[in-house]
Each structure stands twice: as structure tokens, then as C-alpha cells.
Amino acid sequence: ARSRTVGELLAPTSPFDKKCGRENWTVAFAPDGSYFAWSQGHRIVKLVPWSQCLNNFLLHGTKNVANSISTRLPRQNSDSGQKNKPCEHIIDCGDIVWSLAFGSSVPEKQSRCVNIEWHRFKFGQDQLLLATGLNNGRIKIWDVYTGKLLLNLMDHTEVVRDLTFAPDGSLILVSASRDKTLRVWDLKDDGNMMKVLRGHQNWVYGCAFSPDSSILCSVGASKAVFLWDMDKYSMIRKLEGHHNDVVACEFSPDGALLATASYDTRVYVWDPHIGVILREFGHLFPPPTPIFAGGANDRWVRSVSFSHDGLHIASLADDKMLRFWRIDEEYPVQVAPLNNGLCCTFSTDGSVLAAGQDGSVYFWATPRQVSSLQHLCRMAIRRVMPTNQVKNLPIPLKVLEFLCYQI
């Protein structure tokens, strides 16, 4: 089945605009669904209120030029007048933007640095930040509501390829870089760098937190997939199975599954708690053998994203196709054409998938279905119980296999 186009945001072009440098390496939705951000190329990041985008798509059809959005919508539960009207911002980051991540604050989550008595910033309940990872190794932190620069983090020595905030509202930020390291930053401690995670022998392409913020996955060149304990900042295990560079990763909403995308033309779905591959989604048939896994670069998988229903995965490959998969089916349930796609992510409510290409963004309606009560119960259980604990439950084998996503 073909997926239905919802809309598009087109980057403005000029007669002298060079195509090179307009790559859209990253798109992101705010955790509360209020904003959408993407890199337009040439140092520019565009921030737009998401509900406003959807309204424009409904009013004017699918086509939409990014500069045409001018309406402002009221925002509730805000303290200052400036935050009452979320408005779009065009941010010049000073260098090519490779990665974006939204972070929202929960005041009860204290800084991990207990000796700090003075801070430049007091992050309240209504705080929303945008982190941008740049070509020169810097990470710039922006206030989403005002578009102002708050922090400039400067410890990486190479491209910051990916960023991820801990989902628990602690404003712990992890950055993945081509300098072969991951760095952990505490933004509630004025951006203090807390830890350097070393283990990758080559470029680090991506990183992702588990939903409970306890585990970090990092992926990179040379088939590397690492899992880290974020309480102890130690490596839990290395996952073996890919045959080429691994470029993207994401946990399922209940934390029971981990999806990884690789240049070996495959997406693997793992049980991260025991390090076992549960599913393989191939983008080339027959799949290349390990010896030839680096040769089929017209099928390299660039990005993978987990839907919020826990049942669907989206993948983006160099064969000019966007695919939607169900975790319990072998073949895609929907496809859509996209040339030069580099990144994709589901909206906060899971109803739309955004994919970036050449500075512009395209949106598709996602496969929707009512989740079974069985699956909802499975997700509720797996949010609080890792695989090893589930396997110790005194329950029938079939139920056990279902809870472990093995059937």
C-alpha cells in the first residue's frame, strides 16, 4: 500500500543557492508535540509550531513553503507573555547542522552535581530547549520560545553527529561525535560535561536513550552497537550481528525492543536486555552475505524510527523508498517514494512521519490501527520489567513468548 502524503515544508531557494550544503540531516518533534524543527542546510535551523503546520496543511493542501507560516497560536500554562504565543524562529547556528534534539525540564529532577549552589539558568516546568550539533564539534543550546542562544558546549573535536536528551526531564544530554566519543552533559548544571564514554574505535553515528533513561544505545562505524548503563556510565554489552556501519538506533516506547539501521541493508530489532536479534527487516533481496554487505550502497538504510504504538517501525533507504513495517510481519505494510532521504522520525502522537531531504521536509500519514488489549498489557508490563524478570514469571510458555516479543 502507498502511504498518503500529509504535507511538505520546502526550504526557500535563491537563484545562486548551491545544492551542496543543503542536506537535511536531522528532523525533530518536541516531546509535548508543540514544535517541529529541521535543518535547512547552510547553518540554518527552522523552528515552527507543529499544530500551526497541520492547520496550514489542512487549509492549503499538502504544499507549503516554510516562509509562509505567519499565524500564531496561544499557549496554555505559560508564565510570561512572551511564551503565550508560540512563534516560528529561524536560527543561524554558525556552522552546518548535523543533529537536533528537544529537551524539556522537570523541576523536581535535580542536577546530578550536588555541590552547585549557583546557576545561570533556572529551568522551570514550561522550559523547552533545542540542542544543535554542529560540523565544528560545538553544541549550541537554544530557548525554543525565544530563539535565544543559552549555552555553547565546546569539548568535541569533530562533527557532532547525533544528540539525545534523557526522557525523564533531567536535562541530561548525550552527544555522539566523529571524534569516537560520547559525552554526557548536565544542562541544569550550566552545561557541565559529566562524563566521556569511550569504547567506539571509529565514528559514532547515533545514540538513543531507553524510555526510563537508564540505558543508552550508541551505534557507529565498524558494525558497532553498544549499550551503556547510565547510572554507572559503564558499558553493559556490545551487540553483534550487523555486517557494516550502523547509523541509527531507537528504543520502542516500552523499552523492550531496540531497532538499529545499517549500511548492510538491514534493520534489526533486538531484545537489548539479553542481546538477541528478534526480527530482521531486509531492504535488498536476497540480503547480501557478510562479505558483500558493504557493496550494495543503493540499499543502504539511513534512518529508523519506532512508532509510539510500539507496533510499527519506519525505515529510510538509499533505494528512494520510505517503508513502514509491523514488528510482527516480514514485509512492509506501506511504502512511499523519497529521493535522497536522510532522516525520519514519528510525530509525538505517532500520526505523522517526517522525513528530511535536501533542506526540505515531507510528511506522511502513518499506518494506524487500534492496538489490541494484549499488546497494551504487554507494553505496560515491559515498561517496568526487563526480559530476565519476565522469564522468571510463573506463566504459560506462550504468554511468556508473547511478553518477550518472540511470537
CSV table of all heavy atoms in Angstrom, one decimal, residues 19-27 38-40 98 161 263 297-303 315-323 336-344 354-362 364:
chain,number,residue,atom,x,y,z
A,19,LYS,N,23.4,23.6,-4.3
A,19,LYS,CA,22.8,22.4,-3.8
A,19,LYS,C,23.6,21.8,-2.6
A,19,LYS,O,23.1,21.3,-1.6
A,19,LYS,CB,22.6,21.3,-4.9
A,19,LYS,CG,21.7,20.2,-4.5
A,19,LYS,CD,20.2,20.7,-4.7
A,19,LYS,CE,19.3,19.5,-4.6
A,19,LYS,NZ,17.9,19.9,-4.6
A,20,CYS,N,24.9,21.8,-2.8
A,20,CYS,CA,25.8,21.3,-1.8
A,20,CYS,C,25.7,22.1,-0.5
A,20,CYS,O,25.7,23.3,-0.5
A,20,CYS,CB,27.3,21.3,-2.2
A,20,CYS,SG,28.4,20.7,-1.1
A,21,GLY,N,25.5,21.4,0.6
A,21,GLY,CA,25.3,22.0,1.9
A,21,GLY,C,23.9,22.2,2.3
A,21,GLY,O,23.6,22.6,3.5
A,22,ARG,N,23.0,21.8,1.5
A,22,ARG,CA,21.5,21.9,1.8
A,22,ARG,C,21.0,20.5,2.4
A,22,ARG,O,19.8,20.3,2.4
A,22,ARG,CB,20.7,22.3,0.7
A,22,ARG,CG,20.7,23.8,0.5
A,22,ARG,CD,19.6,24.3,-0.5
A,22,ARG,NE,18.3,23.8,-0.2
A,22,ARG,CZ,17.3,23.6,-1.1
A,22,ARG,NH1,17.6,23.9,-2.3
A,22,ARG,NH2,16.2,23.2,-0.7
A,23,GLU,N,21.9,19.6,2.7
A,23,GLU,CA,21.4,18.3,3.2
A,23,GLU,C,20.7,18.5,4.5
A,23,GLU,O,21.1,19.2,5.4
A,23,GLU,CB,22.6,17.4,3.4
A,23,GLU,CG,23.2,16.8,2.1
A,23,GLU,CD,24.3,17.8,1.6
A,23,GLU,OE1,24.5,18.8,2.3
A,23,GLU,OE2,25.0,17.4,0.6
A,24,ASN,N,19.5,17.8,4.6
A,24,ASN,CA,18.8,17.9,5.8
A,24,ASN,C,19.1,16.6,6.6
A,24,ASN,O,18.5,15.5,6.4
A,24,ASN,CB,17.3,17.9,5.5
A,24,ASN,CG,16.4,18.0,6.7
A,24,ASN,OD1,16.8,17.8,7.8
A,24,ASN,ND2,15.1,18.2,6.5
A,25,TRP,N,20.0,16.7,7.5
A,25,TRP,CA,20.5,15.5,8.3
A,25,TRP,C,19.6,15.2,9.5
A,25,TRP,O,19.8,14.2,10.1
A,25,TRP,CB,21.9,15.8,8.8
A,25,TRP,CG,22.9,15.8,7.7
A,25,TRP,CD1,23.6,16.8,7.1
A,25,TRP,CD2,23.4,14.6,6.9
A,25,TRP,NE1,24.4,16.4,6.1
A,25,TRP,CE2,24.3,15.1,6.0
A,25,TRP,CE3,23.2,13.2,7.0
A,25,TRP,CZ2,25.0,14.2,5.1
A,25,TRP,CZ3,23.8,12.4,6.2
A,25,TRP,CH2,24.7,12.9,5.2
A,26,THR,N,18.7,16.1,9.9
A,26,THR,CA,18.0,15.8,11.1
A,26,THR,C,16.7,16.6,11.2
A,26,THR,O,16.6,17.7,10.7
A,26,THR,CB,18.9,16.3,12.3
A,26,THR,OG1,18.2,16.1,13.5
A,26,THR,CG2,19.4,17.7,12.2
A,27,VAL,N,15.7,15.9,11.7
A,27,VAL,CA,14.4,16.5,12.0
A,27,VAL,C,13.9,16.0,13.4
A,27,VAL,O,14.4,15.0,13.8
A,27,VAL,CB,13.3,16.0,11.0
A,27,VAL,CG1,13.6,16.6,9.6
A,27,VAL,CG2,13.2,14.5,10.9
A,38,TRP,N,13.8,21.4,11.9
A,38,TRP,CA,14.6,20.7,11.0
A,38,TRP,C,15.8,21.6,10.5
A,38,TRP,O,15.7,22.8,10.5
A,38,TRP,CB,13.7,20.2,9.8
A,38,TRP,CG,13.4,21.2,8.7
A,38,TRP,CD1,14.0,21.4,7.5
A,38,TRP,CD2,12.4,22.2,8.7
A,38,TRP,NE1,13.4,22.4,6.8
A,38,TRP,CE2,12.4,22.9,7.5
A,38,TRP,CE3,11.4,22.6,9.7
A,38,TRP,CZ2,11.6,24.0,7.2
A,38,TRP,CZ3,10.5,23.6,9.4
A,38,TRP,CH2,10.6,24.3,8.2
A,39,SER,N,16.8,20.9,10.0
A,39,SER,CA,18.0,21.6,9.5
A,39,SER,C,17.7,21.9,8.0
A,39,SER,O,17.6,21.0,7.2
A,39,SER,CB,19.2,20.8,9.7
A,39,SER,OG,19.2,19.6,9.0
A,40,GLN,N,17.7,23.2,7.6
A,40,GLN,CA,17.5,23.5,6.2
A,40,GLN,C,18.8,23.5,5.4
A,40,GLN,O,18.8,23.7,4.2
A,40,GLN,CB,16.9,24.9,6.1
A,40,GLN,CG,15.5,25.0,6.6
A,40,GLN,CD,14.8,26.4,6.3
A,40,GLN,OE1,15.5,27.3,6.0
A,40,GLN,NE2,13.5,26.4,6.3
A,98,TRP,N,24.2,19.1,12.0
A,98,TRP,CA,24.1,17.6,11.8
A,98,TRP,C,23.1,17.0,12.7
A,98,TRP,O,22.6,15.9,12.4
A,98,TRP,CB,25.5,17.0,12.0
A,98,TRP,CG,26.5,17.2,11.0
A,98,TRP,CD1,27.3,18.3,10.8
A,98,TRP,CD2,26.8,16.3,9.9
A,98,TRP,NE1,28.1,18.1,9.7
A,98,TRP,CE2,27.8,16.9,9.1
A,98,TRP,CE3,26.3,15.1,9.5
A,98,TRP,CZ2,28.4,16.3,8.0
A,98,TRP,CZ3,26.9,14.5,8.4
A,98,TRP,CH2,27.9,15.1,7.6
A,161,ARG,N,27.5,14.2,15.5
A,161,ARG,CA,26.6,13.5,14.6
A,161,ARG,C,25.2,13.3,15.1
A,161,ARG,O,24.2,13.1,14.3
A,161,ARG,CB,27.3,12.2,14.2
A,161,ARG,CG,26.6,11.5,13.0
A,161,ARG,CD,26.7,12.3,11.7
A,161,ARG,NE,26.0,11.7,10.6
A,161,ARG,CZ,24.7,11.8,10.4
A,161,ARG,NH1,24.0,12.6,11.3
A,161,ARG,NH2,24.1,11.3,9.4
A,263,TYR,N,24.2,0.1,7.1
A,263,TYR,CA,24.6,0.1,5.6
A,263,TYR,C,24.6,-1.3,5.1
A,263,TYR,O,24.9,-1.5,3.9
A,263,TYR,CB,25.9,0.8,5.4
A,263,TYR,CG,25.9,2.3,5.6
A,263,TYR,CD1,27.1,3.0,5.8
A,263,TYR,CD2,24.7,3.0,5.6
A,263,TYR,CE1,27.1,4.3,5.9
A,263,TYR,CE2,24.7,4.4,5.7
A,263,TYR,CZ,26.0,5.1,5.9
A,263,TYR,OH,26.0,6.4,6.0
A,297,ASN,N,25.4,-0.3,-2.0
A,297,ASN,CA,25.1,1.0,-1.4
A,297,ASN,C,23.9,1.7,-2.0
A,297,ASN,O,23.6,2.9,-1.6
A,297,ASN,CB,26.4,1.9,-1.5
A,297,ASN,CG,26.8,2.2,-2.9
A,297,ASN,OD1,26.2,1.6,-3.8
A,297,ASN,ND2,27.8,3.0,-3.1
A,298,ASP,N,23.2,1.1,-2.9
A,298,ASP,CA,22.0,1.7,-3.4
A,298,ASP,C,20.8,1.2,-2.5
A,298,ASP,O,19.7,1.6,-2.7
A,298,ASP,CB,21.7,1.3,-4.8
A,298,ASP,CG,21.6,-0.2,-5.0
A,298,ASP,OD1,22.2,-0.9,-4.2
A,298,ASP,OD2,20.9,-0.7,-6.0
A,299,ARG,N,21.1,0.4,-1.5
A,299,ARG,CA,20.1,0.0,-0.5
A,299,ARG,C,20.5,0.3,1.0
A,299,ARG,O,19.9,-0.2,1.9
A,299,ARG,CB,19.9,-1.6,-0.6
A,299,ARG,CG,19.4,-2.0,-2.0
A,299,ARG,CD,18.0,-1.6,-2.2
A,299,ARG,NE,17.4,-2.3,-3.4
A,299,ARG,CZ,17.6,-2.0,-4.7
A,299,ARG,NH1,18.4,-0.9,-4.9
A,299,ARG,NH2,17.1,-2.6,-5.7
A,300,TRP,N,21.5,1.1,1.1
A,300,TRP,CA,21.9,1.4,2.5
A,300,TRP,C,20.7,2.0,3.3
A,300,TRP,O,20.0,2.9,2.7
A,300,TRP,CB,23.0,2.5,2.5
A,300,TRP,CG,24.4,1.9,2.2
A,300,TRP,CD1,24.7,0.6,1.9
A,300,TRP,CD2,25.6,2.6,2.1
A,300,TRP,NE1,26.0,0.4,1.6
A,300,TRP,CE2,26.6,1.7,1.8
A,300,TRP,CE3,26.0,3.9,2.3
A,300,TRP,CZ2,28.0,2.0,1.6
A,300,TRP,CZ3,27.3,4.3,2.1
A,300,TRP,CH2,28.3,3.3,1.8
A,301,VAL,N,20.5,1.6,4.5
A,301,VAL,CA,19.5,2.1,5.3
A,301,VAL,C,20.1,3.3,6.1
A,301,VAL,O,21.1,3.2,6.7
A,301,VAL,CB,18.9,1.1,6.3
A,301,VAL,CG1,17.7,1.6,7.0
A,301,VAL,CG2,18.6,-0.2,5.6
A,302,ARG,N,19.4,4.5,6.0
A,302,ARG,CA,19.9,5.7,6.5
A,302,ARG,C,19.3,6.0,7.9
A,302,ARG,O,20.0,6.7,8.7
A,302,ARG,CB,19.5,6.9,5.6
A,302,ARG,CG,20.3,6.8,4.3
A,302,ARG,CD,21.7,7.3,4.4
A,302,ARG,NE,22.4,7.3,3.2
A,302,ARG,CZ,23.7,7.7,3.0
A,302,ARG,NH1,24.3,8.1,4.1
A,302,ARG,NH2,24.3,7.6,1.9
A,303,SER,N,18.1,5.6,8.1
A,303,SER,CA,17.4,6.1,9.4
A,303,SER,C,16.3,5.1,9.7
A,303,SER,O,15.8,4.4,8.9
A,303,SER,CB,16.8,7.5,9.1
A,303,SER,OG,16.2,8.0,10.3
A,315,SER,N,11.5,3.0,8.1
A,315,SER,CA,12.9,3.0,7.7
A,315,SER,C,13.1,3.7,6.4
A,315,SER,O,12.2,3.8,5.6
A,315,SER,CB,13.5,1.6,7.5
A,315,SER,OG,12.8,0.9,6.5
A,316,LEU,N,14.3,4.3,6.2
A,316,LEU,CA,14.6,5.2,5.1
A,316,LEU,C,15.8,4.6,4.4
A,316,LEU,O,16.9,4.5,5.1
A,316,LEU,CB,14.8,6.6,5.5
A,316,LEU,CG,14.7,7.7,4.5
A,316,LEU,CD1,13.4,7.7,3.8
A,316,LEU,CD2,14.9,9.0,5.2
A,317,ALA,N,15.8,4.3,3.1
A,317,ALA,CA,17.0,3.7,2.5
A,317,ALA,C,17.3,4.4,1.2
A,317,ALA,O,16.5,5.2,0.7
A,317,ALA,CB,16.7,2.2,2.2
A,318,ASP,N,18.5,4.1,0.7
A,318,ASP,CA,19.0,4.8,-0.5
A,318,ASP,C,18.4,4.4,-1.8
A,318,ASP,O,18.7,4.8,-2.9
A,318,ASP,CB,20.5,4.6,-0.6
A,318,ASP,CG,21.3,5.6,0.3
A,318,ASP,OD1,20.7,6.5,0.9
A,318,ASP,OD2,22.5,5.4,0.5
A,319,ASP,N,17.4,3.4,-1.7
A,319,ASP,CA,16.7,3.0,-2.9
A,319,ASP,C,15.5,3.9,-3.2
A,319,ASP,O,14.6,3.5,-4.0
A,319,ASP,CB,16.3,1.5,-2.8
A,319,ASP,CG,15.3,1.3,-1.6
A,319,ASP,OD1,15.1,2.3,-0.9
A,319,ASP,OD2,14.8,0.2,-1.5
A,320,LYS,N,15.5,5.1,-2.6
A,320,LYS,CA,14.5,6.1,-2.8
A,320,LYS,C,13.1,5.6,-2.3
A,320,LYS,O,12.1,6.0,-2.8
A,320,LYS,CB,14.4,6.4,-4.3
A,320,LYS,CG,15.7,6.9,-4.9
A,320,LYS,CD,15.6,7.2,-6.4
A,320,LYS,CE,16.9,7.6,-7.0
A,320,LYS,NZ,16.9,7.9,-8.4
A,321,MET,N,13.1,4.8,-1.3
A,321,MET,CA,11.9,4.3,-0.7
A,321,MET,C,11.8,4.5,0.8
A,321,MET,O,12.8,4.3,1.5
A,321,MET,CB,11.6,2.8,-1.0
A,321,MET,CG,11.5,2.5,-2.5
A,321,MET,SD,10.0,3.2,-3.1
A,321,MET,CE,8.7,2.2,-2.4
A,322,LEU,N,10.7,5.0,1.3
A,322,LEU,CA,10.4,5.0,2.7
A,322,LEU,C,9.4,3.8,3.0
A,322,LEU,O,8.5,3.6,2.3
A,322,LEU,CB,9.7,6.3,3.1
A,322,LEU,CG,9.2,6.6,4.5
A,322,LEU,CD1,10.4,6.7,5.4
A,322,LEU,CD2,8.4,7.8,4.5
A,323,ARG,N,9.8,3.1,4.1
A,323,ARG,CA,9.0,1.8,4.4
A,323,ARG,C,8.4,1.9,5.8
A,323,ARG,O,9.1,2.3,6.7
A,323,ARG,CB,9.8,0.6,4.2
A,323,ARG,CG,10.3,0.3,2.8
A,323,ARG,CD,11.3,-0.8,2.8
A,323,ARG,NE,11.7,-1.3,1.5
A,323,ARG,CZ,12.6,-0.7,0.7
A,323,ARG,NH1,13.3,0.4,1.2
A,323,ARG,NH2,12.9,-1.2,-0.5
A,336,ALA,N,6.5,4.6,0.5
A,336,ALA,CA,6.3,5.9,-0.1
A,336,ALA,C,7.6,6.2,-0.8
A,336,ALA,O,8.7,5.9,-0.3
A,336,ALA,CB,6.0,6.9,1.0
A,337,PRO,N,7.6,7.0,-1.9
A,337,PRO,CA,8.8,7.3,-2.6
A,337,PRO,C,9.5,8.6,-2.0
A,337,PRO,O,8.8,9.5,-1.6
A,337,PRO,CB,8.3,7.6,-4.0
A,337,PRO,CG,6.9,8.1,-3.8
A,337,PRO,CD,6.4,7.4,-2.7
A,338,LEU,N,10.8,8.6,-1.9
A,338,LEU,CA,11.5,9.7,-1.4
A,338,LEU,C,13.0,9.7,-1.9
A,338,LEU,O,13.7,8.8,-1.5
A,338,LEU,CB,11.5,9.8,0.1
A,338,LEU,CG,12.2,11.0,0.7
A,338,LEU,CD1,11.5,12.3,0.4
A,338,LEU,CD2,12.4,10.8,2.2
A,339,ASN,N,13.3,10.7,-2.7
A,339,ASN,CA,14.7,10.7,-3.2
A,339,ASN,C,15.6,11.4,-2.2
A,339,ASN,O,15.2,12.4,-1.5
A,339,ASN,CB,14.8,11.6,-4.5
A,339,ASN,CG,14.1,10.8,-5.7
A,339,ASN,OD1,14.0,9.6,-5.6
A,339,ASN,ND2,13.7,11.6,-6.7
A,340,ASN,N,16.8,10.8,-2.0
A,340,ASN,CA,17.9,11.5,-1.2
A,340,ASN,C,17.4,11.7,0.2
A,340,ASN,O,17.8,12.6,0.9
A,340,ASN,CB,18.3,12.8,-1.8
A,340,ASN,CG,18.8,12.7,-3.2
A,340,ASN,OD1,19.4,11.7,-3.6
A,340,ASN,ND2,18.4,13.7,-4.0
A,341,GLY,N,16.5,10.8,0.8
A,341,GLY,CA,16.1,10.9,2.2
A,341,GLY,C,17.3,10.6,3.1
A,341,GLY,O,18.0,9.6,2.9
A,342,LEU,N,17.4,11.4,4.2
A,342,LEU,CA,18.5,11.1,5.1
A,342,LEU,C,18.0,10.9,6.5
A,342,LEU,O,18.8,10.3,7.3
A,342,LEU,CB,19.4,12.4,5.1
A,342,LEU,CG,20.2,12.6,3.8
A,342,LEU,CD1,20.9,14.0,3.9
A,342,LEU,CD2,21.2,11.5,3.6
A,343,CYS,N,16.8,11.3,6.9
A,343,CYS,CA,16.4,11.1,8.3
A,343,CYS,C,14.9,11.1,8.4
A,343,CYS,O,14.2,11.6,7.5
A,343,CYS,CB,16.9,12.3,9.2
A,343,CYS,SG,16.4,13.9,8.5
A,344,CYS,N,14.4,10.4,9.4
A,344,CYS,CA,12.9,10.3,9.6
A,344,CYS,C,12.6,10.2,11.1
A,344,CYS,O,13.4,9.6,11.8
A,344,CYS,CB,12.3,9.2,8.8
A,344,CYS,SG,12.8,7.5,9.3
A,354,ALA,N,7.8,12.4,9.6
A,354,ALA,CA,8.5,13.4,8.9
A,354,ALA,C,9.8,12.9,8.4
A,354,ALA,O,10.5,12.1,9.1
A,354,ALA,CB,8.8,14.6,9.9
A,355,ALA,N,10.2,13.2,7.2
A,355,ALA,CA,11.4,12.8,6.6
A,355,ALA,C,12.1,13.9,5.9
A,355,ALA,O,11.4,14.7,5.2
A,355,ALA,CB,11.2,11.6,5.6
A,356,GLY,N,13.4,14.1,6.1
A,356,GLY,CA,14.2,15.2,5.6
A,356,GLY,C,14.9,14.9,4.3
A,356,GLY,O,15.4,13.7,4.1
A,357,GLN,N,14.9,15.8,3.4
A,357,GLN,CA,15.6,15.7,2.1
A,357,GLN,C,16.0,17.0,1.5
A,357,GLN,O,15.1,17.9,1.3
A,357,GLN,CB,14.7,14.9,1.1
A,357,GLN,CG,15.2,14.9,-0.3
A,357,GLN,CD,14.1,15.3,-1.3
A,357,GLN,OE1,13.4,16.2,-1.0
A,357,GLN,NE2,14.2,14.8,-2.5
A,358,ASP,N,17.3,17.2,1.3
A,358,ASP,CA,17.8,18.5,0.6
A,358,ASP,C,17.2,19.8,1.2
A,358,ASP,O,16.8,20.7,0.5
A,358,ASP,CB,17.4,18.4,-0.9
A,358,ASP,CG,18.2,17.3,-1.6
A,358,ASP,OD1,19.3,16.9,-1.1
A,358,ASP,OD2,17.8,16.9,-2.7
A,359,GLY,N,17.2,19.8,2.5
A,359,GLY,CA,16.8,21.1,3.2
A,359,GLY,C,15.3,21.2,3.4
A,359,GLY,O,14.8,22.1,4.1
A,360,SER,N,14.5,20.3,2.7
A,360,SER,CA,13.0,20.3,2.9
A,360,SER,C,12.6,19.1,3.7
A,360,SER,O,13.3,18.2,4.0
A,360,SER,CB,12.3,20.3,1.5
A,360,SER,OG,12.7,21.5,0.8
A,361,VAL,N,11.3,19.1,4.1
A,361,VAL,CA,10.7,18.0,4.9
A,361,VAL,C,9.4,17.6,4.3
A,361,VAL,O,8.6,18.4,3.8
A,361,VAL,CB,10.4,18.5,6.4
A,361,VAL,CG1,10.1,17.3,7.2
A,361,VAL,CG2,11.6,19.3,6.9
A,362,TYR,N,9.2,16.3,4.3
A,362,TYR,CA,7.9,15.7,3.7
A,362,TYR,C,7.3,14.9,4.8
A,362,TYR,O,7.9,14.3,5.6
A,362,TYR,CB,8.2,14.9,2.5
A,362,TYR,CG,8.9,15.7,1.4
A,362,TYR,CD1,10.2,15.9,1.3
A,362,TYR,CD2,8.1,16.3,0.4
A,362,TYR,CE1,10.8,16.7,0.3
A,362,TYR,CE2,8.6,17.1,-0.6
A,362,TYR,CZ,10.0,17.3,-0.6
A,362,TYR,OH,10.5,18.0,-1.6
A,364,TRP,N,4.1,12.1,6.0
A,364,TRP,CA,3.2,11.1,5.5
A,364,TRP,C,2.3,10.6,6.7
A,364,TRP,O,2.8,10.6,7.8
A,364,TRP,CB,4.0,9.9,5.0
A,364,TRP,CG,4.6,10.0,3.7
A,364,TRP,CD1,4.0,9.8,2.5
A,364,TRP,CD2,5.9,10.5,3.4
A,364,TRP,NE1,4.9,10.1,1.4
A,364,TRP,CE2,6.1,10.6,2.0
A,364,TRP,CE3,7.0,10.9,4.2
A,364,TRP,CZ2,7.2,11.0,1.4
A,364,TRP,CZ3,8.1,11.3,3.6
A,364,TRP,CH2,8.3,11.4,2.2
